[in-house]
Amino acid sequence: MEKQPNQLLWHGVFLLMLLVAVFGIYKAVQAVDYTWRWERIPQYIAYQAEQKHFAEFDGTVVAEKGQLFLQDDADASRRQAIAPQGAQVAEGDTVFLGDTLDTQLSWTAGPIAWGVWMTVKLSLVAGVFAILLGTLAGLARLSPNPALRNLAVTYVELIRGTPLLVQIFIVYFFIGTVLNLDRFTAGVAALAVFTGAYVAEIVRAGITSIHKGQMEAGRSLGMTSAQTMRYVILPQAFKRVLPPLAGQFINLIKDSSLVSVISITDLTKAGREVVSSTFSPFEVWFTVALLYLVLTGTLSFLVRRLEVKYAKSN
């Protein structure tokens, strides 16, 4: 019974700290001599674009059962439908080839929304290849074969010891030029190779955390070393490495912002373009930060659900 009041007290302390932080941010915003224009931002996320339909021939506008049609003067059987909403002509009007018949409004993704899609696409594709590459490198780190083991160690140390930005430049301007890679492929390759090195260490640590008796038990049942690794060791290791893997892929989402240096229009580059158009840097970068937070928060939520699922299966 004493724990409940203590829990409520500490929750109250947390809320108080949160209010103090919000108040501090509010006072800081008030102190900045800046005119906030949040109304400029939504149109760069999604907006209603005009789509005009033009006359395909000369004719006259006719009405039939409440529907407008453009009827060809030379061939009465030839008709073109006209949308009732947004119609620019009326019954009886004479229309010439190329004239506007109607204008429709449709929701279209803005540059920030396209930037979010590109960030998700980059992270997803690079993440898949990073898992494959990292798993192979992690297994090679534990291989009894010196060539495979040394190769994996060299890869991990080389990649982890150099900045991602430098690796992106090398992949795009050097390897990409030799292999004729486009920007997206070069960006995915750089992110996958970089993240794969960290995944390799996570996989290695997860495998080594499994007791050696598991391998011996699998071998005693008649399975080969590869079969034991696949069906016994790796499933157990996956449960243990799920949290650090999630952290690494959250970093991947944030690291993907660096591919903007090779002119891939991800969320960060889209933000820079919108800033140059609106001259509203604070609003744009707060929006970009919030969108990154949504992406990483969604990934964290999904991983927590997986952890609960695997915990129940145990």
Side-chain angles (χ1 to χ4, degrees), residues 172-196:
Y172 180 64
F173 290 108
F174 179 65
I175 300 176
T177 302
V178 174
L179 300 180
N180 195 26
L181 302 178
D182 57 45
R183 290 185 176 89
F184 181 81
T185 304
V188 166
L191 290 172
V193 170
F194 180 79
T195 305

PDB file of all heavy atoms in Angstrom, residues 172-196:
ATOM      1  N   TYR A 172      29.147   7.016 -53.732  1.00  0.00           N
ATOM      2  CA  TYR A 172      28.477   7.700 -54.847  1.00  0.00           C
ATOM      3  C   TYR A 172      29.459   8.190 -55.909  1.00  0.00           C
ATOM      4  O   TYR A 172      29.286   7.922 -57.099  1.00  0.00           O
ATOM      5  CB  TYR A 172      27.653   8.872 -54.316  1.00  0.00           C
ATOM      6  CG  TYR A 172      26.937   9.622 -55.418  1.00  0.00           C
ATOM      7  CD1 TYR A 172      25.961   8.999 -56.179  1.00  0.00           C
ATOM      8  CD2 TYR A 172      27.260  10.946 -55.709  1.00  0.00           C
ATOM      9  CE1 TYR A 172      25.300   9.673 -57.194  1.00  0.00           C
ATOM     10  CE2 TYR A 172      26.601  11.628 -56.716  1.00  0.00           C
ATOM     11  CZ  TYR A 172      25.625  10.990 -57.460  1.00  0.00           C
ATOM     12  OH  TYR A 172      24.991  11.665 -58.468  1.00  0.00           O
ATOM     13  N   PHE A 173      30.520   8.888 -55.477  1.00  0.00           N
ATOM     14  CA  PHE A 173      31.398   9.518 -56.455  1.00  0.00           C
ATOM     15  C   PHE A 173      32.461   8.574 -57.013  1.00  0.00           C
ATOM     16  O   PHE A 173      32.942   8.777 -58.124  1.00  0.00           O
ATOM     17  CB  PHE A 173      32.084  10.744 -55.831  1.00  0.00           C
ATOM     18  CG  PHE A 173      31.141  11.879 -55.573  1.00  0.00           C
ATOM     19  CD1 PHE A 173      30.763  12.211 -54.278  1.00  0.00           C
ATOM     20  CD2 PHE A 173      30.608  12.614 -56.615  1.00  0.00           C
ATOM     21  CE1 PHE A 173      29.893  13.250 -54.032  1.00  0.00           C
ATOM     22  CE2 PHE A 173      29.730  13.664 -56.380  1.00  0.00           C
ATOM     23  CZ  PHE A 173      29.371  13.977 -55.088  1.00  0.00           C
ATOM     24  N   PHE A 174      32.832   7.546 -56.259  1.00  0.00           N
ATOM     25  CA  PHE A 174      33.859   6.620 -56.752  1.00  0.00           C
ATOM     26  C   PHE A 174      33.240   5.305 -57.234  1.00  0.00           C
ATOM     27  O   PHE A 174      33.228   5.015 -58.430  1.00  0.00           O
ATOM     28  CB  PHE A 174      34.898   6.350 -55.665  1.00  0.00           C
ATOM     29  CG  PHE A 174      35.974   5.394 -56.093  1.00  0.00           C
ATOM     30  CD1 PHE A 174      36.857   5.722 -57.112  1.00  0.00           C
ATOM     31  CD2 PHE A 174      36.088   4.144 -55.501  1.00  0.00           C
ATOM     32  CE1 PHE A 174      37.837   4.824 -57.526  1.00  0.00           C
ATOM     33  CE2 PHE A 174      37.072   3.237 -55.901  1.00  0.00           C
ATOM     34  CZ  PHE A 174      37.936   3.591 -56.918  1.00  0.00           C
ATOM     35  N   ILE A 175      32.676   4.540 -56.292  1.00  0.00           N
ATOM     36  CA  ILE A 175      32.084   3.250 -56.679  1.00  0.00           C
ATOM     37  C   ILE A 175      30.894   3.449 -57.606  1.00  0.00           C
ATOM     38  O   ILE A 175      30.716   2.710 -58.584  1.00  0.00           O
ATOM     39  CB  ILE A 175      31.666   2.463 -55.416  1.00  0.00           C
ATOM     40  CG1 ILE A 175      32.885   2.203 -54.525  1.00  0.00           C
ATOM     41  CG2 ILE A 175      30.987   1.149 -55.778  1.00  0.00           C
ATOM     42  CD1 ILE A 175      32.558   1.524 -53.207  1.00  0.00           C
ATOM     43  N   GLY A 176      30.070   4.459 -57.316  1.00  0.00           N
ATOM     44  CA  GLY A 176      28.912   4.721 -58.164  1.00  0.00           C
ATOM     45  C   GLY A 176      29.293   5.108 -59.576  1.00  0.00           C
ATOM     46  O   GLY A 176      28.611   4.746 -60.540  1.00  0.00           O
ATOM     47  N   THR A 177      30.406   5.845 -59.727  1.00  0.00           N
ATOM     48  CA  THR A 177      30.875   6.214 -61.068  1.00  0.00           C
ATOM     49  C   THR A 177      31.381   4.993 -61.830  1.00  0.00           C
ATOM     50  O   THR A 177      31.100   4.820 -63.023  1.00  0.00           O
ATOM     51  CB  THR A 177      31.988   7.266 -60.965  1.00  0.00           C
ATOM     52  OG1 THR A 177      31.485   8.420 -60.269  1.00  0.00           O
ATOM     53  CG2 THR A 177      32.474   7.676 -62.344  1.00  0.00           C
ATOM     54  N   VAL A 178      32.103   4.121 -61.123  1.00  0.00           N
ATOM     55  CA  VAL A 178      32.648   2.920 -61.768  1.00  0.00           C
ATOM     56  C   VAL A 178      31.530   1.964 -62.182  1.00  0.00           C
ATOM     57  O   VAL A 178      31.525   1.426 -63.298  1.00  0.00           O
ATOM     58  CB  VAL A 178      33.637   2.209 -60.822  1.00  0.00           C
ATOM     59  CG1 VAL A 178      34.101   0.877 -61.432  1.00  0.00           C
ATOM     60  CG2 VAL A 178      34.841   3.103 -60.542  1.00  0.00           C
ATOM     61  N   LEU A 179      30.555   1.763 -61.282  1.00  0.00           N
ATOM     62  CA  LEU A 179      29.475   0.801 -61.534  1.00  0.00           C
ATOM     63  C   LEU A 179      28.230   1.446 -62.134  1.00  0.00           C
ATOM     64  O   LEU A 179      27.218   0.758 -62.353  1.00  0.00           O
ATOM     65  CB  LEU A 179      29.103   0.087 -60.234  1.00  0.00           C
ATOM     66  CG  LEU A 179      30.220  -0.715 -59.556  1.00  0.00           C
ATOM     67  CD1 LEU A 179      29.713  -1.359 -58.273  1.00  0.00           C
ATOM     68  CD2 LEU A 179      30.784  -1.770 -60.504  1.00  0.00           C
ATOM     69  N   ASN A 180      28.281   2.761 -62.356  1.00  0.00           N
ATOM     70  CA  ASN A 180      27.155   3.494 -62.941  1.00  0.00           C
ATOM     71  C   ASN A 180      25.890   3.349 -62.084  1.00  0.00           C
ATOM     72  O   ASN A 180      24.810   2.988 -62.575  1.00  0.00           O
ATOM     73  CB  ASN A 180      26.879   3.006 -64.369  1.00  0.00           C
ATOM     74  CG  ASN A 180      25.979   3.968 -65.134  1.00  0.00           C
ATOM     75  OD1 ASN A 180      25.930   5.172 -64.844  1.00  0.00           O
ATOM     76  ND2 ASN A 180      25.252   3.443 -66.106  1.00  0.00           N
ATOM     77  N   LEU A 181      26.035   3.635 -60.789  1.00  0.00           N
ATOM     78  CA  LEU A 181      24.909   3.544 -59.861  1.00  0.00           C
ATOM     79  C   LEU A 181      24.148   4.863 -59.828  1.00  0.00           C
ATOM     80  O   LEU A 181      24.746   5.937 -59.903  1.00  0.00           O
ATOM     81  CB  LEU A 181      25.404   3.209 -58.452  1.00  0.00           C
ATOM     82  CG  LEU A 181      26.202   1.911 -58.271  1.00  0.00           C
ATOM     83  CD1 LEU A 181      26.634   1.783 -56.820  1.00  0.00           C
ATOM     84  CD2 LEU A 181      25.392   0.707 -58.698  1.00  0.00           C
ATOM     85  N   ASP A 182      22.826   4.784 -59.720  1.00  0.00           N
ATOM     86  CA  ASP A 182      22.057   6.016 -59.548  1.00  0.00           C
ATOM     87  C   ASP A 182      22.124   6.454 -58.084  1.00  0.00           C
ATOM     88  O   ASP A 182      22.659   5.751 -57.222  1.00  0.00           O
ATOM     89  CB  ASP A 182      20.604   5.815 -59.985  1.00  0.00           C
ATOM     90  CG  ASP A 182      19.913   4.680 -59.235  1.00  0.00           C
ATOM     91  OD1 ASP A 182      20.051   4.611 -58.010  1.00  0.00           O
ATOM     92  OD2 ASP A 182      19.235   3.853 -59.885  1.00  0.00           O
ATOM     93  N   ARG A 183      21.567   7.629 -57.797  1.00  0.00           N
ATOM     94  CA  ARG A 183      21.677   8.201 -56.455  1.00  0.00           C
ATOM     95  C   ARG A 183      21.014   7.308 -55.406  1.00  0.00           C
ATOM     96  O   ARG A 183      21.569   7.076 -54.336  1.00  0.00           O
ATOM     97  CB  ARG A 183      21.032   9.592 -56.422  1.00  0.00           C
ATOM     98  CG  ARG A 183      21.800  10.656 -57.179  1.00  0.00           C
ATOM     99  CD  ARG A 183      21.155  12.015 -56.980  1.00  0.00           C
ATOM    100  NE  ARG A 183      21.916  13.061 -57.609  1.00  0.00           N
ATOM    101  CZ  ARG A 183      21.743  13.452 -58.871  1.00  0.00           C
ATOM    102  NH1 ARG A 183      20.818  12.856 -59.611  1.00  0.00           N
ATOM    103  NH2 ARG A 183      22.473  14.414 -59.387  1.00  0.00           N
ATOM    104  N   PHE A 184      19.818   6.818 -55.713  1.00  0.00           N
ATOM    105  CA  PHE A 184      19.100   6.015 -54.732  1.00  0.00           C
ATOM    106  C   PHE A 184      19.864   4.734 -54.401  1.00  0.00           C
ATOM    107  O   PHE A 184      20.017   4.378 -53.227  1.00  0.00           O
ATOM    108  CB  PHE A 184      17.707   5.669 -55.265  1.00  0.00           C
ATOM    109  CG  PHE A 184      16.882   4.853 -54.303  1.00  0.00           C
ATOM    110  CD1 PHE A 184      16.209   5.457 -53.262  1.00  0.00           C
ATOM    111  CD2 PHE A 184      16.782   3.474 -54.453  1.00  0.00           C
ATOM    112  CE1 PHE A 184      15.454   4.706 -52.372  1.00  0.00           C
ATOM    113  CE2 PHE A 184      16.037   2.719 -53.571  1.00  0.00           C
ATOM    114  CZ  PHE A 184      15.365   3.338 -52.535  1.00  0.00           C
ATOM    115  N   THR A 185      20.354   4.049 -55.420  1.00  0.00           N
ATOM    116  CA  THR A 185      21.098   2.808 -55.193  1.00  0.00           C
ATOM    117  C   THR A 185      22.359   3.068 -54.386  1.00  0.00           C
ATOM    118  O   THR A 185      22.699   2.308 -53.467  1.00  0.00           O
ATOM    119  CB  THR A 185      21.460   2.150 -56.533  1.00  0.00           C
ATOM    120  OG1 THR A 185      20.257   1.928 -57.289  1.00  0.00           O
ATOM    121  CG2 THR A 185      22.161   0.829 -56.326  1.00  0.00           C
ATOM    122  N   ALA A 186      23.063   4.154 -54.721  1.00  0.00           N
ATOM    123  CA  ALA A 186      24.279   4.487 -53.978  1.00  0.00           C
ATOM    124  C   ALA A 186      23.955   4.823 -52.526  1.00  0.00           C
ATOM    125  O   ALA A 186      24.681   4.417 -51.605  1.00  0.00           O
ATOM    126  CB  ALA A 186      24.991   5.659 -54.644  1.00  0.00           C
ATOM    127  N   GLY A 187      22.867   5.543 -52.302  1.00  0.00           N
ATOM    128  CA  GLY A 187      22.476   5.879 -50.932  1.00  0.00           C
ATOM    129  C   GLY A 187      22.108   4.643 -50.128  1.00  0.00           C
ATOM    130  O   GLY A 187      22.506   4.500 -48.964  1.00  0.00           O
ATOM    131  N   VAL A 188      21.340   3.742 -50.739  1.00  0.00           N
ATOM    132  CA  VAL A 188      20.964   2.499 -50.065  1.00  0.00           C
ATOM    133  C   VAL A 188      22.199   1.669 -49.749  1.00  0.00           C
ATOM    134  O   VAL A 188      22.339   1.111 -48.652  1.00  0.00           O
ATOM    135  CB  VAL A 188      19.973   1.695 -50.929  1.00  0.00           C
ATOM    136  CG1 VAL A 188      19.839   0.268 -50.407  1.00  0.00           C
ATOM    137  CG2 VAL A 188      18.614   2.376 -50.951  1.00  0.00           C
ATOM    138  N   ALA A 189      23.120   1.572 -50.715  1.00  0.00           N
ATOM    139  CA  ALA A 189      24.334   0.775 -50.515  1.00  0.00           C
ATOM    140  C   ALA A 189      25.154   1.317 -49.354  1.00  0.00           C
ATOM    141  O   ALA A 189      25.624   0.556 -48.495  1.00  0.00           O
ATOM    142  CB  ALA A 189      25.161   0.760 -51.797  1.00  0.00           C
ATOM    143  N   ALA A 190      25.343   2.633 -49.313  1.00  0.00           N
ATOM    144  CA  ALA A 190      26.138   3.232 -48.238  1.00  0.00           C
ATOM    145  C   ALA A 190      25.486   3.011 -46.876  1.00  0.00           C
ATOM    146  O   ALA A 190      26.158   2.642 -45.899  1.00  0.00           O
ATOM    147  CB  ALA A 190      26.328   4.723 -48.507  1.00  0.00           C
ATOM    148  N   LEU A 191      24.177   3.215 -46.790  1.00  0.00           N
ATOM    149  CA  LEU A 191      23.475   3.026 -45.521  1.00  0.00           C
ATOM    150  C   LEU A 191      23.482   1.564 -45.086  1.00  0.00           C
ATOM    151  O   LEU A 191      23.656   1.250 -43.903  1.00  0.00           O
ATOM    152  CB  LEU A 191      22.032   3.526 -45.642  1.00  0.00           C
ATOM    153  CG  LEU A 191      21.833   5.040 -45.767  1.00  0.00           C
ATOM    154  CD1 LEU A 191      20.383   5.363 -46.072  1.00  0.00           C
ATOM    155  CD2 LEU A 191      22.266   5.748 -44.490  1.00  0.00           C
ATOM    156  N   ALA A 192      23.291   0.647 -46.053  1.00  0.00           N
ATOM    157  CA  ALA A 192      23.257  -0.780 -45.724  1.00  0.00           C
ATOM    158  C   ALA A 192      24.619  -1.266 -45.242  1.00  0.00           C
ATOM    159  O   ALA A 192      24.708  -2.015 -44.257  1.00  0.00           O
ATOM    160  CB  ALA A 192      22.806  -1.581 -46.947  1.00  0.00           C
ATOM    161  N   VAL A 193      25.687  -0.849 -45.919  1.00  0.00           N
ATOM    162  CA  VAL A 193      27.032  -1.277 -45.519  1.00  0.00           C
ATOM    163  C   VAL A 193      27.378  -0.712 -44.140  1.00  0.00           C
ATOM    164  O   VAL A 193      27.936  -1.410 -43.287  1.00  0.00           O
ATOM    165  CB  VAL A 193      28.070  -0.839 -46.573  1.00  0.00           C
ATOM    166  CG1 VAL A 193      29.485  -1.053 -46.065  1.00  0.00           C
ATOM    167  CG2 VAL A 193      27.865  -1.619 -47.862  1.00  0.00           C
ATOM    168  N   PHE A 194      27.027   0.541 -43.905  1.00  0.00           N
ATOM    169  CA  PHE A 194      27.325   1.175 -42.621  1.00  0.00           C
ATOM    170  C   PHE A 194      26.548   0.509 -41.487  1.00  0.00           C
ATOM    171  O   PHE A 194      27.121   0.127 -40.460  1.00  0.00           O
ATOM    172  CB  PHE A 194      26.978   2.663 -42.697  1.00  0.00           C
ATOM    173  CG  PHE A 194      27.234   3.418 -41.422  1.00  0.00           C
ATOM    174  CD1 PHE A 194      28.515   3.817 -41.079  1.00  0.00           C
ATOM    175  CD2 PHE A 194      26.188   3.720 -40.564  1.00  0.00           C
ATOM    176  CE1 PHE A 194      28.754   4.512 -39.904  1.00  0.00           C
ATOM    177  CE2 PHE A 194      26.412   4.418 -39.385  1.00  0.00           C
ATOM    178  CZ  PHE A 194      27.698   4.808 -39.053  1.00  0.00           C
ATOM    179  N   THR A 195      25.236   0.350 -41.671  1.00  0.00           N
ATOM    180  CA  THR A 195      24.414  -0.256 -40.620  1.00  0.00           C
ATOM    181  C   THR A 195      24.747  -1.726 -40.440  1.00  0.00           C
ATOM    182  O   THR A 195      24.709  -2.255 -39.322  1.00  0.00           O
ATOM    183  CB  THR A 195      22.925  -0.085 -40.967  1.00  0.00           C
ATOM    184  OG1 THR A 195      22.647   1.299 -41.178  1.00  0.00           O
ATOM    185  CG2 THR A 195      22.037  -0.606 -39.847  1.00  0.00           C
ATOM    186  N   GLY A 196      25.099  -2.412 -41.548  1.00  0.00           N
ATOM    187  CA  GLY A 196      25.430  -3.830 -41.462  1.00  0.00           C
ATOM    188  C   GLY A 196      26.606  -4.111 -40.545  1.00  0.00           C
ATOM    189  O   GLY A 196      26.654  -5.158 -39.888  1.00  0.00           O
TER     190      GLY A 196
END
